[in-house]
Amino acid sequence: MAQALGEDLVQPFELQDDSSSLGSDSELSGPGPYRQADRYGFIGGSSAEPGPGHPPADLIRQREMKWVEMTSHWEKTMSRRYKKVKMQCRKGIPSALRARCWPLLCGAHVCQKNSPGTYQELAEAPGDPQWMETISRDLHRQFPLHEMFVSPQGHGQQGLLQVLKAYTLHRPEQGYCQAQGPVAAVLLMHLPPEEAFWCLVQICEVYLPGYYGPHMEAVQLDAEVFMALLRRLLPRVHKHLQQVGVGPLLYLPEWFLCLFARSLPFPIVLRVWDAFLSEGVKVLFRVGLTLVRLALGTTEQRLACPGLLETLGALRAIPPTQLQEEVFMSQVHSMALSEQDLQREIRVQLARLPESTSGPPPRPQARLPGAQAIFEAQQLAGAQGAAKPEVPRIVVQPPEEPRPPRRKPQTRGKTFHGLLTRSRGPPIEGPPRSHRGSTSFLDTRF
């Protein structure tokens, strides 16, 4: 069954032509090589100017200052003010600070700090010929109209080759997955190769473990979870998909494996990544449910899709008017799906998976739900893996010479007048003294 699953997952990528791998097809108006690049680097794109819902420049400056303050004291911020970090990620990280914020959110900066020189060794080492050939064939398919990846000998494609090769050497048991290409390409648009590599490691091993391995066991589990959530949240859409025979493996792998890099306009892709790196895989489910609702949410839309091909076409070609950045992200974050709901459904579907499946079973417990969980796990690992405490030195002090005990003067039954008499000689003549209790100390005559 794992082999059949692999065929189902690869089929959507291989049957499409190279134009489908542009990532943000809705923003590209044609292959004209001499057109001006937009603010994201796409040649001929339509994002040269901010859209109508784009925040004003003053608000962007305020958000930049907030992010500079939070990232300057990152450990304190994550320990005490993570809710503020999450809300700022939902509003969108300023473009000028994504290179600073993404490695902090996913924990890549800790991995890079703990493994100095690892990426350089992997980048300089010769790669596996099998994976190198496959990666080289896919390089030109990753955002071919982006200025970084236009030239085969440019720094974009060569950096992408090095990052993907380094991951195959870092995890030889997993190798290379075709969906890692657009993920690594988006990272390279914002980060140097070494930081992009460690972010890719965190995405593949912490956010989405079991997605990019040879069996893709986690993709099958999440597909069942997605259908169960559709049945609960969008029952009419779920019924329509069952009637026309559209299973989740026909459209969901391209969405989740590529983190929607091939399916949404690029400004929305970046907003989805901001929230995903903060809150985890829950964001992918919310985005997928929102897309299905936009494509098939009304009766008219479902009637216009009587068969399998029409339904798949509707899911892959949502009108741009429904994909306005601020409105779409507001719909995503308002989707009634909490982390507790998702984990509960994962446990239910995990128990229903047949035991006869080949390959390793899914391990959803290895997936951490966002930046806060990653930060806490790295803090705990750092505390446990810290340097062993030094053995305390035993300093032997020479014993002090015993001092003679201080003797308390014996004054029981003796008066102060008597002590003076013995020390100074005979007392002064005076009237006879009575009992010591009959005269006060002040009346004593010396």
Side-chain angles (χ1 to χ4, degrees):
M1 186 165 67
Q3 183 178 2
L5 175 62
E7 294 175 356
D8 291 338
L9 297 180
V10 175
Q11 185 177 5
F13 298 111
E14 293 183 347
L15 293 183
Q16 297 173 358
D17 56 9
D18 293 343
S19 62
S20 65
S21 62
L22 300 180
S24 298
D25 301 340
S26 58
E27 291 197 346
L28 303 179
S29 56
Y34 301 106
R35 296 185 180 181
Q36 184 179 2
D38 64 4
R39 58 195 176 105
Y40 298 108
F42 290 96
I43 301 174
S46 59
S47 298
E49 296 296 334
H54 194 74
D58 294 341
L59 182 57
I60 294 178
R61 296 296 176 268
Q62 293 178 8
R63 292 178 179 176
E64 288 177 349
M65 294 304 297
K66 290 181 180 179
W67 274 106
V68 169
E69 178 187 359
M70 291 189 300
T71 55
S72 298
H73 309 86
W74 185 247
E75 292 187 1
K76 179 180 178 181
T77 301
M78 289 298 294
S79 301
R80 303 180 183 179
R81 304 165 62 189
Y82 171 69
K83 289 186 178 180
K84 181 178 180 180
V85 174
K86 182 175 72 172
M87 295 309 298
Q88 291 298 321
C89 287
R90 288 189 175 189
K91 294 177 182 178
I93 301 175
S95 299
L97 293 175
R98 281 196 173 96
R100 181 174 183 174
C101 298
W102 279 3
L104 292 174
L105 286 170
C106 68
H109 68 296
V110 176
C111 299
Q112 183 176 349
K113 180 181 178 181
N114 294 339
S115 303
T118 299
Y119 174 74
Q120 285 75 11
E121 295 177 1
L122 296 174
E124 296 173 359
D128 188 330
Q130 174 188 358
W131 296 125
M132 294 298 293
E133 180 181 358
T134 306
I135 294 172
S136 300
R137 288 201 307 263
D138 291 340
L139 289 178
H140 72 283
R141 303 177 182 177
Q142 315 305 334
F143 301 100
L145 293 186
H146 192 279
E147 57 185 0
M148 276 188 64
F149 305 102
V150 171
S151 173
Q153 303 301 324
H155 69 281
Q157 289 196 25
Q158 293 302 312
L160 184 60
L161 176 65
Q162 295 299 322
V163 169
L164 296 176
K165 180 197 74 172
Y167 187 82
T168 61
L169 297 175
H170 181 66
R171 290 289 181 264
E173 69 279 3
Q174 295 187 11
Y176 165 70
C177 176
Q178 193 176 27
Q180 291 175 322
V183 175
V186 174
L187 292 172
L188 283 172
M189 293 179 192
H190 299 83
L191 301 167
E194 184 174 5
E195 294 184 10
F197 166 75
W198 288 115
C199 287
L200 179 66
V201 170
Q202 289 295 96
I203 291 174
C204 296
E205 299 180 4
V206 179
Y207 285 88
L208 300 173
Y211 263 52
Y212 303 98
H215 300 282
M216 296 182 177
E217 62 277 1
V219 178
Q220 181 185 6
L221 174 61
D222 284 349
E224 298 298 329
V225 172
F226 188 82
M227 286 302 291
L229 294 174
L230 271 179
R231 187 186 309 113
R232 180 170 64 87
L233 299 174
L234 302 170
R236 296 181 180 179
V237 177
H238 176 266
K239 181 179 179 181
H240 174 78
L241 293 175
Q242 283 192 323
Q243 289 176 348
V244 298
V246 175
L249 293 179
L250 294 179
Y251 59 91
L252 198 68
E254 185 175 0
W255 288 355
F256 280 25
L257 284 166
C258 299
L259 304 181
F260 297 95
R262 288 180 167 180
S263 310
L264 292 173
F266 200 70
I268 298 181
V269 171
L270 298 179
R271 292 288 299 275
V272 170
W273 280 47
D274 294 342
F276 167 72
L277 294 177
S278 172
E279 303 178 51
V281 75
K282 172 185 64 178
V283 175
L284 302 186
F285 282 92
R286 285 180 171 179
V287 175
L289 292 171
T290 303
L291 289 177
V292 173
R293 184 174 62 184
L294 291 177
L296 302 170
T298 64
T299 305
E300 293 77 10
Q301 289 173 325
R302 293 191 293 272
L303 291 176
C305 302
L308 183 145
L309 295 179
E310 295 84 358
T311 302
L312 287 178
L315 291 173
R316 293 174 177 172
I318 298 176
T321 55
Q322 295 182 307
L323 296 177
Q324 300 299 321
E325 179 180 343
E326 295 296 334
V327 177
F328 179 81
M329 294 308 299
S330 176
Q331 294 175 347
V332 168
H333 296 310
S334 62
M335 180 64 63
L337 176 63
S338 65
E339 184 65 33
Q340 291 76 14
D341 296 336
L342 179 60
Q343 296 302 324
R344 185 186 312 112
E345 196 60 49
I346 288 176
R347 290 192 296 268
V348 171
Q349 298 303 322
L350 183 63
R352 294 180 180 178
L353 284 181
E355 299 180 357
S356 59
T357 56
S358 59
R363 295 188 305 111
Q365 65 275 9
R367 182 163 59 192
L368 296 182
Q372 186 178 27
I374 294 174
F375 173 79
E376 294 174 352
Q378 289 181 340
Q379 290 289 310
L380 181 60
Q384 294 177 349
K388 297 182 179 180
E390 298 181 0
V391 178
R393 294 182 302 170
I394 302 177
V395 180
V396 180
Q397 297 289 349
E400 297 181 358
E401 296 182 359
R403 296 181 180 180
R406 184 176 181 181
R407 299 182 61 183
K408 184 177 180 180
Q410 300 294 331
T411 59
R412 183 180 297 275
K414 299 179 181 178
T415 61
F416 185 69
H417 178 73
L419 293 175
L420 290 176
T421 302
R422 288 192 295 271
S423 62
R424 295 187 179 182
I428 302 175
E429 295 182 359
R433 296 187 58 80
S434 60
H435 192 267
R436 60 177 291 190
S438 61
T439 306
S440 65
F441 175 76
L442 296 178
D443 294 336
T444 304
R445 298 180 61 183
F446 295 89

